[in-house]
Amino acid sequence: MPTLEERLASLEAENRQLRTQIAELRKKTTRFRDIILSTPVAVAVASVETELVDYGNPAFASLLGYDLEELMGLPLAKVFAEEPDYIQHLFRQCVAEGSWQGELRYCHKDGAPIPALLTASVLRDSDGKPYAVVGFAHDLREQKEQEGQLRIFKLLVDNAPDGIALSDTDLRITYANPAFEAMFGYQQTLIGRPLTELIFSEDLDQLALFAETARTCGTVIGEVRYCRANGEVFVAQVSGMILRDATDEPIGFASINRDLTDQLQAEQERRALQEEVIQAQQAALRELSTPLMPIADKVVVMPIIGSIDQMRAQMIMETLLEGIAAHNATFAILDITGVRVVDTQVAAAMIRAAQAARMLGAEVVLTGIGPEVAQTLVHIGADLRELVARSSLQHGIAYAMKRT
């Protein structure tokens, strides 16, 4: 039988061991408390018996906008933005099953809902009886915002009128919006098909150049010819850009494609219409710049005003000859009273017109020669033997009427 001293020594050893264990437990408890206090994850504990909050760490208080003291005893109906009956059902289900995980909306102090991912576990006493539920909440607001932006982006891309396509670095299509699919008219999806199969064979070098430019500059804009499923070739405007991962390595290409078929057709029709308008305007100008008027049987007059260039001289000859033929005229009076400058080119044009008129059986009478014009004609040595000259239109008309 141990002596009293031995028993006291044994008890002292056991006491030292117990103090050591208590110190280690306190150390672990302090470490656990520090972890809970410093973690950015929202942690809260609710009593199974009262269904009230027993504890919340600073991250949980910050998530809901409360002070730590305000959290103590807070009903679960105020913690969550869901229906109270639904929260009570989930809480009891968690107690019964031991754990629960899913998305729930917490309720901020100001009433705003906070989407979060909740992982809850049951805490049990030494007898295995549940006494509390601890929950770890991860704030999903930023994730939900990004998901919302992605949904909006996808909605815009899916409904864009231009064809949008993504491809990998081997130019194999990884995504195509409905407009891009409809642009080519294939029955099967274009995803997985090499982009080179859609390019007109003569433009494959152009596609390679686009890809190289995108790799070098990041973006590229140009035109390329595609082939539809029925073999039709069409021109598209392509805006391309290179796609990179988080390490700035190329992972593919994106392109926005606009079918220019209708635009090119409209431009062609517009050019044709513009050409018709120009021709009509030129015809009207010819009539205005070279008017020809019959003033008597077999006598026509053409008053000329302004400067005369090569084109207008040709118009004068054409109009004069057409008028002589149309009116069966024997006299054509060219009145140049309104012409201030006559050079060699103009004189030659009038002589040619007179020669052509004689071939149609008509005589050309030149009227309205002023002093300056007369000096110019003499100075340049113009041969006017093919023409009959009179000083004024009145004298020219009198000459023609008398001869007629």
Side-chain angles (χ1 to χ4, degrees), residues 338-349:
V339 178
R340 297 303 178 190
V341 178
V342 175
D343 55 14
T344 306
Q345 182 178 347
V346 175

Side-chain angles (χ1 to χ4, degrees), residues 40-44 59-60 63-64 106 116-119 135-140:
V41 178
V43 181
F60 185 75
L63 178 67
L64 270 63
Y106 282 89
L117 176 63
L118 172 63
T119 301
F136 302 85
H138 177 64
D139 190 350
L140 297 180

Side-chain angles (χ1 to χ4, degrees), residues 1 34 40 90 92 156 159 199 267 276 283-284 290 299-300 304 308 319 379 394 404:
M1 183 174 181
D34 292 342
L90 291 182
R92 293 177 180 177
L156 291 175
N159 292 276
I199 303 293
E267 290 179 357
E276 292 179 4
T290 56
V299 179
V300 294
I304 303 174
I308 302 175
T319 305
H379 179 71
Q394 181 181 0
T404 302

Side-chain angles (χ1 to χ4, degrees), residues 83-305:
E83 290 293 330
D85 293 343
Y86 178 61
I87 294 300
Q88 187 180 55
H89 166 73
L90 291 182
F91 186 81
R92 293 177 180 177
Q93 178 184 342
C94 178
V95 172
E97 298 179 359
S99 63
W100 184 88
Q101 185 178 49
E103 289 188 18
L104 286 176
R105 292 179 303 162
Y106 282 89
C107 184
H108 194 272
K109 185 178 180 179
D110 62 9
I114 304 171
L117 176 63
L118 172 63
T119 301
S121 300
V122 174
L123 301 179
R124 302 178 185 274
D125 59 18
S126 58
D127 297 329
K129 181 180 178 181
Y131 69 90
V133 173
V134 58
F136 302 85
H138 177 64
D139 190 350
L140 297 180
R141 282 177 292 186
E142 183 177 351
Q143 177 181 330
K144 293 294 183 181
E145 182 179 356
Q146 293 176 350
E147 290 176 355
Q149 292 175 349
L150 288 176
R151 283 194 298 270
I152 294 174
F153 173 77
K154 188 175 187 306
L155 184 65
L156 291 175
V157 172
D158 287 345
N159 292 276
D162 293 333
I164 300 175
L166 305 180
S167 61
D168 56 23
T169 52
D170 295 327
L171 298 181
R172 190 173 295 274
I173 299 173
T174 57
Y175 169 81
N177 73 338
F180 191 81
E181 297 270 8
M183 190 180 296
F184 293 90
Y186 285 93
Q187 296 297 324
Q188 298 81 17
T189 180
L190 295 176
I191 297 177
R193 184 187 295 267
L195 190 60
T196 52
E197 293 184 2
L198 305 178
I199 303 293
F200 184 52
S201 58
E202 295 181 6
D203 283 6
L204 288 176
D205 292 341
Q206 180 77 358
L207 178 63
L209 179 61
F210 278 7
E212 183 60 29
T213 303
R215 288 189 184 95
T216 305
C217 304
T219 59
V220 61
I221 298 177
E223 292 184 0
V224 69
R225 288 178 292 179
Y226 285 111
C227 290
R228 304 192 202 275
N230 60 6
E232 177 187 352
V233 178
F234 67 98
V235 180
Q237 183 187 60
V238 180
S239 300
M241 62 206 73
I242 193 166
L243 304 176
R244 300 181 182 274
D245 60 14
T247 62
D248 204 35
E249 288 296 319
I251 59 174
F253 300 93
S255 65
I256 302 175
N257 304 266
R258 175 167 296 178
D259 189 346
L260 298 180
T261 301
D262 294 340
Q263 179 179 333
L264 293 176
Q265 182 177 354
E267 290 179 357
Q268 184 178 1
E269 293 175 353
R270 184 165 54 251
R271 284 196 298 269
L273 179 60
Q274 186 178 12
E275 184 64 26
E276 292 179 4
V277 171
I278 291 175
Q279 292 178 358
Q281 289 176 342
Q282 289 178 344
L285 288 174
R286 282 197 299 269
E287 293 179 0
L288 292 174
S289 61
T290 56
L292 185 139
M293 300 171 290
I295 59 172
D297 186 28
K298 299 184 180 298
V299 179
V300 294
V301 175
M302 178 183 289
I304 303 174
I305 300 173

